[in-house]
Structures are given as C-alpha cells and as structure tokens.
Amino acid sequence: MKMRHKFVVRGEKWDFSQTNILRAQPFPEHLPGYVPEGVVWTAIAVGYKTRFINKVVRIYFQDAGNQVTQERNAARDTVGSLYWKTIVLNSELKWF
C-alpha cells in the first residue's frame, strides 16, 4: 500500500508469495458471483512487506476469450465488489 500511495507506483505487478502466506488468507468462497482477487492481495499487503525489482518478468497477450476481456454482470458481482472496496477503504484510509 505504501508503494501505491506514498511513491505512486502504478500498473500491474507480478509477485511470488510463500504458500503458507496464501493459505493464511483464503479466498472468500461464501460470496456469490465474481469476487476480485484484490480481496486476498489487500489482506496480504496489510500484514506483509513486499520487495520489488525493476525488471520485466512476464509478457502476456489478451485475446477476446480471456477473463480480462469478458463482460461482467454488475448485478451478480455487486456483493464481491462491495466486499473488496470495504476492505480497501478500511485498510487504506490512513493514506487519504
């Protein structure tokens, strides 16, 4: 969070995480519809520091059939989006 708000680092970042850290933050499967993965990454960011390198480690291409370009159902995905935005506001409010 410090990188995003204090140093204004933007864009997608690729990371590697220890399995035990990921297991400690399970994905909220109790919520209906699409839940952004930011729910997990924000929870991890609250409790752990991240080390960054300034190198390209991945290149990928987007086509019409992937998850990034698919349309979302706003009515179905509202609960997951609200859940994530609540977590973001609660954990990042100190930066505003």
Side-chain angles (χ1 to χ4, degrees):
M1 287 182 260
K2 186 176 186 177
M3 293 299 291
R4 180 171 42 241
H5 298 294
K6 184 175 181 180
F7 299 109
V8 194
V9 174
R10 299 282 188 243
E12 182 184 41
K13 305 297 177 242
W14 187 251
D15 68 284
F16 300 92
S17 301
Q18 293 178 351
T19 306
N20 61 327
I21 294 172
L22 291 171
R23 285 186 179 139
Q25 300 297 331
F27 203 80
E29 295 181 8
H30 65 281
L31 298 174
Y34 172 77
V35 178
E37 63 187 33
V39 168
V40 173
W41 299 126
T42 301
I44 291 172
V46 169
Y48 298 91
K49 290 185 178 182
T50 304
R51 185 171 294 172
F52 298 92
I53 59 171
N54 194 22
K55 294 183 184 264
V56 176
V57 294
R58 143 179 118 137
I59 298 173
Y60 66 97
F61 300 93
Q62 297 178 3
D63 60 18
N66 69 22
Q67 187 177 11
V68 174
T69 57
Q70 291 176 354
E71 288 187 33
R72 301 252 186 254
N73 180 331
R76 184 194 70 216
D77 300 341
T78 302
V79 174
S81 292
L82 179 62
Y83 184 75
W84 179 46
K85 289 172 181 161
T86 301
I87 289 172
V88 169
L89 283 173
N90 288 333
S91 62
E92 300 185 20
L93 197 57
K94 67 182 177 184
W95 294 101
F96 297 104

